[in-house]
Amino acid sequence: MNKNNYIKIKIKKKNFKQESSENILSEINKYFDENELFLKKNNDNDILIYLNSFDINKFESFFNEKPEYFQVIKQKINKNKSYGIDNGKKIYIDYNKERKVKNRKKKETARGKYYYAKDNNFKKQNNKLTEEKINQIVCADSLEYLKTIPDNSIDLIFTSPPYNFGLDYEATDDSIKWQQYLDQLFAIFDECIRVLKYGGRFAVNIQPLFSDYIPLHHIVGKYFIDKKMIWKTEILWEKNNYNCKYTAWGSWKSPSSPYFKYTWEFVEVYCKGDIKKTGKKENIDITADEFKEWVYSKWSIAPERNMKEYDHPAMFPEELARRILKLFSYQEDIILDPFGGVGTVAAVAKKENRKYISIDISEEYTKKARERVKKVPKQLKLNLE
Ligand SMILES: C[S@@+](CC[C@H](N)C(=O)[O-])C[C@H]1O[C@@H](n2cnc3c(N)ncnc32)[C@H](O)[C@@H]1O
């Protein structure tokens, strides 16, 4: 047995009664193969767990049948990051040998990761927002209202701007010259970046206008990169709306100019200054199952079905907002939506125990958003610890 083939995890004996510590040692060593994992007395105070790899089903069925005092071992093991899963086995050691790219970290540093954002001038000092600004649904032009919000005071922005498709919004023209549209959009985004905390995230739901050959998601991406925001991810929101009404084929059965059909939208996520966001551990509310499912960044979520009820032409579903909020913010964080519509982000923020600011230029949508959010009961803080 070569001890270099294991990671070692120390566990205090005082976690167990004397007889249970001996019982644990012998039962685990009997059940698991020595090449997988084993336990050994280290000294009078500690036990060492030697961990190489294990079959996940075998591991789960062992601990499921065991009394409470065994579970400390399971929790200790689960706190360690495995390198990956191979054939149903969780591997903790030697995984690097099997990887195509060796010395990944060193190479990343040498290449200069997110080089485009390194020389940013973002201030690191974050500021507190005054109470009267928090949990507000505001009727205003975001460009004006955001000027009343201090620099570096918002944790997460999640928004879906108008796409300039020609929809019938209550208060705005949704079909203007592209350059004018982009100038207006980016003036509001400039304010958003200013109010975002250092380490805060900006998630934008966007869809290109294929008929105009405007790759809006790329144009928005270039804007963020020019602003020295760090690209975190692109989520493909698969709406599965194959029965969308348009029947255009472009050049039917000819390569001259075929017309493409899309059933998805994008969510682009950028970070200000730092890809890591700090927060209190007790404010994390994402479960292991949610995390495992949602980090695969293609999300299949049906489009919002209640648009008629709210008389709004372009709402996104609460599930999309719920995932973004839980993946990118902590409970009690402040969430901003500068194109708040009928308050989807604010309603979800309240449901998920976050604070919100939702701004929309339409009085009608603002009224509906206020009524909607008022109906959401105040949530108790979730503690997963
Ligand atoms: C795509 S919708 C957002 C819908 C929202 N996500 C929801 O689920 O209800 C865009 C919204 O931006 C609003 N809007 C357009 N220009 C604005 C501006 N300058 N300031 C604030 N809101 C604006 C429109 O009234 C519209 O409700």
Side-chain angles (χ1 to χ4, degrees):
M1 186 254 304
N2 178 352
K3 288 199 174 154
N4 291 332
N5 288 343
Y6 300 85
I7 60 165
K8 294 172 204 75
I9 306 164
K10 203 188 273 179
I11 180 156
K12 293 248 171 275
K13 268 192 174 175
K14 67 175 183 212
N15 280 301
F16 320 102
K17 292 190 194 122
Q18 175 62 20
E19 65 279 18
S20 51
S21 107
E22 272 154 29
N23 184 16
I24 289 171
L25 226 91
S26 84
E27 286 219 26
I28 290 189
N29 289 346
K30 233 188 301 164
Y31 182 83
F32 289 97
D33 194 283
E34 201 188 61
N35 297 328
E36 299 176 316
L37 70 101
F38 65 91
L39 265 50
K40 208 171 172 212
K41 197 175 142 188
N42 189 33
N43 53 38
D44 284 345
N45 300 323
D46 310 316
I47 294 175
L48 280 178
I49 307 171
Y50 285 78
L51 181 61
N52 173 294
S53 59
F54 55 77
D55 182 282
I56 298 168
N57 291 333
K58 183 177 166 186
F59 180 84
E60 288 297 330
S61 66
F62 175 81
F63 282 103
N64 281 348
E65 285 166 13
K66 293 292 170 220
E68 193 53 38
Y69 61 84
F70 269 79
Q71 305 309 321
V72 185
I73 302 279
K74 181 181 179 185
Q75 285 156 10
K76 271 273 176 189
I77 290 176
N78 279 342
K79 270 195 180 154
N80 284 269
K81 238 174 146 181
S82 81
Y83 287 117
I85 295 174
D86 187 17
N87 254 334
K89 269 190 147 195
K90 242 184 182 178
I91 317 252
Y92 288 83
I93 240 81
D94 273 355
Y95 189 73
N96 233 2
K97 276 191 199 154
E98 290 168 28
R99 289 192 136 178
K100 267 194 187 163
V101 178
K102 309 268 193 292
N103 301 321
R104 190 178 290 261
K105 283 259 168 287
K106 222 168 127 188
K107 286 173 184 164
E108 273 170 16
T109 311
R111 285 193 297 259
K113 56 182 179 180
Y114 53 83
Y115 67 92
Y116 51 86
K118 293 278 187 206
D119 60 340
N120 69 69
N121 283 323
F122 297 133
K123 283 179 275 179
K124 290 194 173 165
Q125 174 65 47
N126 289 332
N127 297 309
K128 235 180 142 195
L129 207 51
T130 48
E131 280 303 314
E132 83 273 4
K133 290 277 183 215
I134 292 173
N135 294 340
Q136 296 298 320
I137 294 173
V138 181
C139 182
D141 181 343
S142 275
L143 186 60
E144 295 312 316
Y145 188 78
L146 287 171
K147 289 184 184 140
T148 70
I149 297 194
D151 298 356
N152 292 35
S153 59
I154 302 289
D155 292 283
L156 168 69
I157 298 171
F158 180 39
T159 198
S160 172
Y163 299 153
N164 205 31
F165 281 14
L167 293 179
D168 276 333
Y169 286 115
E170 195 261 329
T172 46
D173 182 356
D174 192 45
S175 191
I176 58 180
K177 285 263 180 228
W178 279 108
Q179 196 53 59
Q180 188 193 351
Y181 165 82
L182 292 172
D183 291 346
Q184 288 176 9
L185 182 67
F186 293 154
I188 292 176
F189 278 8
D190 283 353
E191 279 298 298
C192 287
I193 293 175
R194 179 186 65 73
V195 301
L196 196 60
K197 281 184 183 170
Y198 192 88
R201 278 83 183 258
F202 194 159
V204 187
N205 166 218
I206 204 98
Q207 191 181 16
L209 186 51
F210 303 106
S211 64
D212 284 20
Y213 299 93
I214 297 290
L216 199 53
H217 55 322
H218 294 303
I219 298 173
V220 164
K222 180 177 183 313
Y223 160 84
F224 278 118
I225 300 279
D226 287 348
K227 292 287 163 182
K228 304 193 184 296
M229 295 282 283
I230 306 168
W231 179 73
K232 175 81 179 161
T233 190
E234 176 178 81
I235 292 155
L236 199 153
W237 168 27
E238 174 57 88
K239 299 188 289 181
N240 291 310
N241 53 347
Y242 290 95
N243 54 356
C244 46
K245 293 189 189 89
Y246 65 89
T247 50
W249 296 101
S251 58
W252 167 249
K253 255 177 107 296
S254 155
S256 86
S257 184
Y259 192 79
F260 290 85
K261 292 157 200 286
Y262 298 79
T263 57
W264 59 86
E265 298 192 13
F266 299 93
V267 179
E268 304 292 335
V269 185
Y270 283 82
C271 310
K272 180 171 168 181
D274 197 337
I275 44 167
K276 287 203 176 132
K277 184 174 189 330
T278 50
K280 288 189 188 146
K281 221 171 160 202
E282 78 236 27
N283 283 342
I284 297 172
D285 60 352
I286 188 163
T287 66
D289 285 341
E290 289 169 339
F291 193 90
K292 271 190 278 179
E293 187 188 333
W294 300 347
V295 292
Y296 287 94
S297 63
K298 182 176 173 187
W299 296 350
S300 196
I301 305 173
E304 175 56 47
R305 297 188 203 286
N306 285 328
M307 294 201 229
K308 278 213 176 94
E309 180 192 329
Y310 288 99
D311 199 14
H312 190 287
M315 296 165 66
F316 51 44
E318 290 199 2
E319 180 60 15
L320 186 70
R322 196 171 78 85
R323 293 188 189 190
I324 295 288
L325 264 56
K326 291 187 78 169
L327 265 173
F328 295 111
S329 71
Y330 296 79
Q331 292 182 93
E332 294 176 6
D333 275 1
I334 302 172
I335 319 294
L336 166 71
D337 186 348
F339 298 103
V342 288
T344 309
V345 168
V348 173
K350 193 170 172 195
K351 281 182 192 171
E352 302 299 342
N353 202 21
R354 276 122 173 114
K355 297 164 185 159
Y356 54 86
I357 302 174
S358 175
I359 312 166
D360 202 284
I361 203 162
S362 152
E363 271 177 34
E364 228 172 83
Y365 300 155
T366 305
K367 197 166 152 254
K368 284 180 185 149
R370 284 183 184 142
E371 283 161 10
R372 179 181 184 185
V373 173
K374 212 166 146 191
K375 284 190 199 141
V376 176
K378 196 169 163 21
Q379 300 300 305
L380 286 177
K381 193 167 142 187
L382 198 71
N383 195 340
L384 295 183
E385 279 195 310

